[in-house]
Amino acid sequence: MGAVNIKIMSKHKIKYICSNCGYESLRWIGKCPSCDSWNTFTEEYIEEKKSSRKKINIEPHLTNLSADGSKDEIRIKTNIEEFDRVLGGGLVPGSVVLIGGDPGIGKSTLVMQAAAGINGTVLYVTGEESANQINMRAQRLNIKSDTIYVLTETDLDLIINAIEKNDPKVVIVDSIQTTYKPDLENTPGTITQIRECTVELMQAAKKRNCAVLIVGHVTKEGMIAGPKVLEHIVDTVLQFEGEKSYSYRILRSQKNRFGSTNEIGIFEMQDDGLHEVKNPSQIFLSELDKEITGSVVTASIEGSRPILLEVQALVTPSAYGNPQRVATGFDYRRLSILLAVLEKRANMRLSSQNVFLNMAGGLRIDEPAVDLAVCCAIASSYGDKSAHKNTVVIGEVGLSGEVRSVGHIDKRIQEAIKLGFQRVIIPQNNVKSIKVKGAIEVIGVDELKSAIEKVFI
Ligand code: TYD
Ligand code: MG
């Protein structure tokens, strides 16, 4: 009998990896035990790592903290003010920044404009577009530069090679999903590929002390594929977002080793690229010049800047037992809480009403200081009474209907004065600490019901 040679041991192992958080499992599972997301497991090859180094005889390179720390911090400016501010003052040499966002939101446009603003050589690697397409975009953006080198490549080894050869100050990789390491069996875009490529780019950044900007796409679930996996590796995670129907785009920082995560950058997408919005208050206020029900202006602090914006609510009777609640640009759960508070503390029968809430201009607000304006907008639409057009409403609302004090009150009032508002309704507890006075009538309120009455005409 001839021997049958059965190859039992395979060179690779198959594992299932959660595309959201990188959790590994030997079996396919429907729900990730680590991040609780459903249907995120994909099959990937895991290559056995052979440890070839048994004994390390290399002298480690140690640096003295005091010697290195005394150096002035060097930042590479993109010379786009909104971008630099979100970065914490510019790109840090040797660091890796990940920019995520929906396809078509303007990531490539943003990084191309940043490349043009950088003083020094930039290697722009793209696996998404052809050289011709890149040229067309550059023409549209009116960019002519002899310090931007474009490389249309997806093979990471060749990209690293180009970094070694050209020694750029900044490397842009658009996008991480198209980049792949050829010695891995996995297809481009899989967690293993994305992770390995990012790690290698990070090593290149550290070695050559250049800044690396990585573009990443967002998955259907609204997250960069493997965000949690990459979050640990990269230094900064930025999110470029906006409503498709508006031209405004917001750059937010989710993680930043070298700056605040509160800052946002606001841009407007026009025919010739992204334009910075230096005075954002005006764009988030209504274009209408007359009083309408359900519309109240508030002042929010985004990062270090105050922004005046309009809160719009529409309250309509629900025909069937199940009323709808829709919140755009505002936390849905927070809306439910405020509706319950209005019902209980201001005697509004909202449980039989549909409530639609919208932050004008496509802005997303997570700050409790807009609570009172949200309540007033809902009350205005519910009671069919208009709010004073020249009034700004500020305050957090507590569960017992009390209006709680908020931070940065002076900045908010200052902005209201700057834009010509005549009245501002603020928490009573904030009144004493105000320094700006005179040019605006300040009304202190301590409780929801009376606050609402003061807002109406
Ligand atoms: P792009 O930067 O390609 O988006 P991403 O890289 O995030 O996929 O931008 C795509 C959109 O932006 C596209 O719909 C066209 C629009 N756009 C403008 O409106 N003006 C411009 O100057 C440019 C370059 C693009
Ligand atoms: Mg793109």
Side-chain angles (χ1 to χ4, degrees):
M1 291 285 268
V4 185
N5 189 3
I6 305 171
K7 210 173 172 189
I8 303 169
M9 289 293 288
S10 138
K11 235 185 1 186
H12 311 289
K13 256 193 193 158
I14 288 176
K15 272 194 187 172
Y16 296 87
I17 303 186
C18 169
S19 61
N20 183 34
C21 70
Y23 183 88
E24 293 178 9
S25 163
L26 290 173
R27 287 175 300 119
W28 187 87
I29 29 183
K31 187 185 177 193
C32 176
S34 163
C35 70
D36 284 345
S37 41
W38 286 91
N39 272 336
T40 47
F41 279 83
T42 48
E43 189 181 287
E44 292 195 19
Y45 294 106
I46 305 290
E47 274 169 59
E48 298 276 327
K49 284 206 176 84
K50 285 187 232 94
S51 86
S52 54
R53 279 206 279 187
K54 287 210 180 84
K55 205 171 168 195
I56 302 168
N57 284 323
I58 311 158
E59 270 297 308
H61 175 67
L62 304 178
T63 51
N64 190 312
L65 191 60
S66 63
D68 262 2
S70 61
K71 277 185 205 153
D72 281 341
E73 192 189 56
I74 307 156
R75 296 261 183 173
I76 307 165
K77 298 257 183 225
T78 65
N79 289 310
I80 302 173
E81 226 180 87
E82 297 286 300
F83 196 177
D84 286 337
R85 205 189 43 251
V86 175
L87 287 168
L91 292 160
V92 175
S95 75
V96 180
V97 178
L98 174 71
I99 299 184
D102 282 319
I105 206 76
K107 300 180 295 299
S108 302
T109 310
L110 180 69
V111 292
M112 167 73 84
Q113 285 182 246
I118 288 165
N119 206 349
T121 47
V122 178
L123 179 66
Y124 187 112
V125 184
T126 174
E128 301 255 323
E129 290 151 312
S130 66
N132 198 22
Q133 281 171 309
I134 293 286
N135 270 330
M136 275 164 59
R137 175 177 290 119
Q139 267 171 24
R140 190 172 176 184
L141 301 173
N142 223 342
I143 292 173
K144 280 195 199 82
S145 169
D146 42 16
T147 53
I148 304 178
Y149 301 118
V150 178
L151 172 69
T152 47
E153 188 52 73
T154 52
D155 182 337
L156 188 76
D157 292 346
L158 298 176
I159 296 170
I160 299 285
N161 203 9
I163 297 175
E164 299 276 333
K165 285 226 170 80
N166 294 288
D167 201 19
K169 210 169 176 182
V170 177
V171 181
I172 294 171
V173 179
D174 187 3
S175 67
I176 193 67
Q177 274 97 351
T178 53
T179 311
Y180 76 103
K181 255 175 82 77
D183 49 348
L184 293 180
E185 295 263 342
N186 303 295
T187 48
T190 50
I191 286 290
T192 310
Q193 281 285 4
I194 289 177
R195 183 167 47 197
E196 293 298 315
C197 289
T198 308
V199 167
E200 210 154 297
L201 284 167
M202 185 200 65
Q203 285 162 350
K206 300 268 181 281
K207 189 171 158 203
R208 304 222 69 99
N209 205 29
C210 61
V212 176
L213 257 173
I214 296 177
V215 172
H217 288 298
V218 156
T219 58
K220 274 184 251 96
E221 287 78 33
M223 283 188 273
I224 306 165
K228 297 219 174 69
V229 187
L230 295 192
E231 240 171 47
H232 304 303
I233 308 170
V234 301
D235 300 291
T236 303
V237 180
L238 306 180
Q239 185 75 22
F240 201 38
E241 56 187 40
E243 296 278 323
K244 277 277 158 64
S245 44
Y246 293 98
S247 57
Y248 299 110
R249 302 282 179 266
I250 292 161
L251 188 65
R252 248 177 231 285
S253 153
Q254 287 181 349
K255 165 188 174 176
N256 196 348
R257 280 196 185 133
F258 311 110
S260 152
T261 48
N262 291 324
E263 290 293 348
I264 61 165
I266 305 177
F267 298 89
E268 185 177 3
M269 181 65 98
Q270 290 177 2
D271 277 347
D272 56 348
L274 291 158
H275 290 249
E276 294 176 67
V277 177
K278 296 250 169 73
N279 188 1
S281 283
Q282 262 135 355
I283 58 173
F284 298 114
L285 293 177
S286 161
E287 286 110 47
L288 279 179
D289 214 19
K290 59 174 192 280
E291 272 132 357
I292 40 166
T293 60
S295 154
V296 170
V297 176
T298 188
S300 173
I301 298 280
E302 288 292 325
S304 53
R305 278 185 308 182
I307 297 178
L308 292 196
L309 81 149
E310 192 187 316
V311 180
Q312 298 169 333
L314 183 65
V315 179
T316 57
S318 156
Y320 313 102
N322 207 357
Q324 288 188 59
R325 275 90 173 79
V326 180
T328 313
F330 191 71
D331 183 38
Y332 181 81
R333 257 185 300 169
R334 188 89 201 144
L335 172 64
S336 305
I337 294 170
L338 293 177
L339 289 174
V341 175
L342 279 167
E343 181 123 23
K344 188 100 179 164
R345 313 284 173 203
N347 307 326
M348 290 182 196
R349 315 215 63 208
L350 293 163
S351 50
S352 57
Q353 308 280 329
N354 299 320
V355 178
F356 306 98
L357 185 74
N358 182 33
M359 301 286 151
L363 202 61
R364 211 197 135 72
I365 303 289
D366 292 321
E367 215 206 358
V370 304
D371 284 356
L372 188 58
V374 168
C375 290
C376 290
I378 293 167
S380 160
S381 182
Y382 175 77
D384 217 13
K385 285 192 232 162
S386 308
H388 278 285
K389 190 168 70 67
N390 283 319
T391 304
V392 175
V393 180
I394 302 161
E396 181 182 342
V397 175
L399 290 186
S400 52
E402 81 276 22
V403 176
R404 307 168 68 105
S405 58
V406 301
H408 306 288
I409 195 73
D410 280 318
K411 269 190 188 170
R412 297 179 207 257
I413 296 177
Q414 194 86 58
E415 187 73 3
I417 295 171
K418 202 169 106 192
L419 282 142
F421 283 85
Q422 283 146 14
R423 289 166 86 227
V424 58
I425 295 180
I426 64 165
Q428 186 64 48
N429 284 343
N430 273 127
V431 174
K432 279 177 260 115
S433 62
I434 303 174
K435 290 184 194 74
V436 279
K437 262 183 191 155
I440 198 162
E441 184 192 352
V442 176
I443 302 163
V445 289
D446 53 12
E447 176 264 326
L448 182 60
K449 206 168 169 203
S450 59
I452 290 171
E453 278 154 23
K454 295 209 170 73
V455 172
F456 297 139
I457 297 170

